[in-house]
Amino acid sequence: MTTAVDQLETRDTRTTGRWWALVVLALAQLMVVLDATIVNIALPTAQADLGFSDADRQWVVTAYALAFGSLLLLGGRLADFIGRKRMFLIGLIGFALASALGGAAQNLELLIIARALQGAFGAALAPAALSLLSTTFTEPAERGKAFGIFGAISGAGGGIGLLLGGVLTEYASWRWCLYVNLVIAALAVVGASLKLKDEPVARHGKLDLVGTVTAVVGLVALVYGLANAETDGWTAGWTLGPIIVGVLVLIAFVLVERRVANPLLPLRVVLDRNRGGSYASIAIAGAGMFGIFLFLTYYLTAVLAFTPVETGLAFLPMLGAIMLTATTAGSILTPKIGPRPLVPLGALVAAVGMVLLTRLDLDSTYASGVLPGLIVVGLGLGLVFAPTQNAATSGVEHRDAGVASAMINTVQQIGGSIGTALLSSFAATAATNYASSHAPSPTLAAEAALQSYHTVFWWSAGFFLLAGIVAAVLFRTGPLDVDPDAPPAMAH
């Protein structure tokens, strides 16, 4: 006979299991997110070691972005079809093996192949992790806490990558920026085997092959064109051609999805106001984020002469601010009031932080010049990430949880690609215009670079402001929809 004490102990065990599951999922998310920046820190050293050119260097970054961004929707749908835990483990193990291949690479070609494989397995891993989180935490208060922590990891992962990349590159080797994934993946595989339990795989129709092909081709073309814009300019044939092809093929993808019986991306997933609001907000905010991670890094290294480790440490206050607001907004406010007040407020705060950074000068110090803006941006980003990731998967049917999770990663990747291309273009134009309109001087090059940073910070502030406006318009008022009949626990 089961007593009340036994029932309480069972419930406590299940609760503990869910929080251990969150640790596993957060580890996997950290590995995927930090990999976007950790390799950037290692690139100059890797370039000197392997002897490849500046023109070839971008492909180490672009190969990952192409594979990751284009395969996310397929990865999310496969997670729905074959099981999220299975897809999660495939992604983890594949990502680790690809990282080992990259770490051992003796030439550029093998390094690029490894980065593409990392992106492909990351596209399997990221949506599986987010959908497992969504189906594991179904009670609003617990869900809010879980997504707050997960959102903090997503927002802070780029900065953690800068710090870890700096430490590993300076004190070990650039290769350890890839090998470190073996350690993270090993811990996550053990944890997933012990603590994650998936729902039974529902019966599905055939995979939408036409939708898959059009989605992959459209996203590859779009990301490839945007990557070329950074180096070749917006009017180059290899920029405009792929972007136009990508947009047209993605339009065809939407038309296909309206007609097929088992679409890769059911339009019901994106047409919900809260989910649509989260996708649009995170895409625009993702574009703005590159102003802080990429160009502030340039300022710290070029103007303040920070080492890679010092640069990584410089971002720690921002990471702390992200975690503070992400966890409080996620656990306390989102379940009660929903994302509509929080995301616009967070985006506005982040915009204010970027405006503060436009005051930086050649003689500014870190404490008085950089730090205030960093903290304010972090406080804002925490209010953006946790509620949007929660909204992206709230109220979605469990059969669509994988692809709904994939969309949040897809739009963030596309937003980041657009942001990188646009902001790099604006920066180059601003520097050129400044240099051509001022008399030569010993500090002209530094002043032109500073002008380019200011231009980027203003544009990033504009992106954040636009994200806030879009969020205010699209999100519904009130708490998020959570299925009350959803299974109470997917962990043990």
Side-chain angles (χ1 to χ4, degrees):
M1 181 176 178
T2 303
T3 65
V5 173
D6 291 333
Q7 291 176 345
L8 185 61
E9 288 178 350
T10 301
R11 189 160 56 248
D12 288 343
T13 301
R14 288 176 178 170
T15 300
T16 303
R18 286 199 292 277
W19 292 111
W20 275 113
L22 173 61
V23 172
V24 174
L25 297 172
L27 261 180
Q29 177 71 1
L30 176 63
M31 184 174 71
V32 172
V33 175
L34 69 81
D35 214 70
T37 52
I38 192 172
V39 173
N40 291 348
I41 293 290
L43 261 182
T45 311
Q47 182 178 1
D49 188 16
L50 300 182
F52 51 86
S53 67
D54 288 346
D56 291 332
R57 183 171 64 182
Q58 68 154 330
W59 286 104
V60 180
V61 177
T62 304
Y64 180 89
L66 280 173
F68 185 65
S70 61
L71 295 174
L72 274 164
L73 286 177
L74 176 60
R77 207 52 173 160
L78 287 176
D80 292 330
F81 270 54
I82 69 175
R84 295 172 193 110
K85 179 178 177 180
R86 184 179 302 171
M87 203 66 179
F88 182 78
L89 289 170
I90 290 171
L92 272 176
I93 294 169
F95 199 96
L97 293 176
S99 299
L101 180 66
Q106 296 301 312
N107 55 58
L108 174 66
E109 291 75 17
L110 192 57
L111 181 59
I112 289 174
I113 290 170
R115 289 287 288 163
L117 288 172
Q118 276 188 313
F121 284 108
L125 175 60
L130 189 56
S131 56
L132 279 167
L133 185 71
S134 179
T135 54
T136 298
F137 293 91
T138 55
E139 193 274 326
E142 281 193 349
R143 181 183 176 90
K145 293 176 184 176
F147 272 90
I149 295 169
F150 198 81
I153 294 294
S154 298
I160 295 172
L162 290 174
L163 175 58
L164 190 58
V167 171
L168 291 174
T169 301
E170 192 163 327
Y171 295 109
S173 162
W174 68 266
R175 298 180 184 277
W176 272 100
C177 292
L178 293 160
Y179 287 145
V180 70
N181 291 326
L182 292 168
V183 179
I184 300 173
L187 293 172
V189 166
V190 172
S193 302
L194 296 175
K195 295 299 179 183
L196 291 182
K197 185 178 180 182
D198 204 358
E199 295 176 309
V201 178
R203 291 181 63 85
H204 291 275
K206 294 180 180 178
L207 184 66
D208 173 18
L209 293 179
V210 177
T212 300
V213 171
T214 51
V216 171
V217 170
L219 289 169
V220 164
L222 184 60
V223 174
Y224 178 76
L226 290 167
N228 286 337
E230 185 180 351
T231 53
D232 299 344
W234 288 96
T235 58
W238 284 108
T239 298
L240 280 179
I243 289 176
I244 292 170
V245 169
V247 170
L248 292 176
V249 174
L250 289 175
I251 291 172
F253 166 71
V254 174
L255 296 176
V256 168
E257 298 307 273
R258 293 179 61 187
R259 290 171 171 78
V260 295
N262 300 289
L264 178 72
L265 175 62
L267 295 185
R268 60 179 175 269
V269 171
V270 295
L271 293 179
D272 174 82
R273 279 185 60 181
N274 277 343
R275 285 194 291 276
S278 67
Y279 298 146
S281 301
I282 205 68
I284 299 168
M289 274 189 64
F290 274 82
I292 189 77
F293 280 128
L294 188 59
F295 289 91
L296 188 60
T297 298
Y298 292 162
Y299 176 83
L300 292 172
T301 54
V303 178
L304 299 188
F306 278 23
T307 66
V309 174
E310 288 172 336
T311 301
L313 290 171
F315 280 94
L316 283 182
M318 187 184 79
L319 307 188
I322 290 174
M323 291 181 179
L324 175 65
T325 50
T327 51
T328 54
S331 60
I332 300 172
L333 298 177
T334 305
K336 295 179 181 178
I337 62 177
R340 191 173 192 185
L342 299 175
V343 179
L345 175 62
L348 180 60
V349 170
V352 170
M354 296 308 300
V355 171
L356 289 176
L357 291 175
T358 65
R359 300 164 57 203
L360 291 175
D361 209 337
L362 293 180
D363 57 358
S364 296
T365 64
Y366 172 77
S368 63
V370 177
L371 186 59
L374 265 183
I375 292 175
V376 174
V377 170
L379 292 172
L381 289 179
L383 286 172
V384 172
F385 276 101
T388 50
Q389 289 189 325
N390 196 339
T393 53
S394 287
V396 73
E397 298 178 39
H398 279 207
R399 59 178 172 155
D400 297 330
V403 75
S405 303
M407 269 300 291
I408 195 75
N409 289 284
T410 300
V411 297
Q412 188 169 357
Q413 180 67 39
I414 297 301
S417 297
I418 292 172
T420 302
L422 282 175
L423 296 176
S424 297
S425 175
F426 295 153
T429 301
T432 301
N433 290 343
Y434 186 92
S436 62
S437 61
H438 289 74
S441 70
T443 60
L444 180 61
E447 289 169 353
L450 184 67
Q451 183 65 31
S452 73
Y453 306 151
H454 287 172
T455 300
V456 166
F457 296 154
W458 278 114
W459 275 100
S460 292
F463 280 130
F464 286 131
L465 187 60
L466 178 60
I469 293 170
V470 168
V473 171
L474 291 183
F475 279 120
R476 288 193 296 267
T477 302
L480 293 168
D481 296 328
V482 179
D483 181 6
D485 299 321
M490 290 294 116
H492 60 80

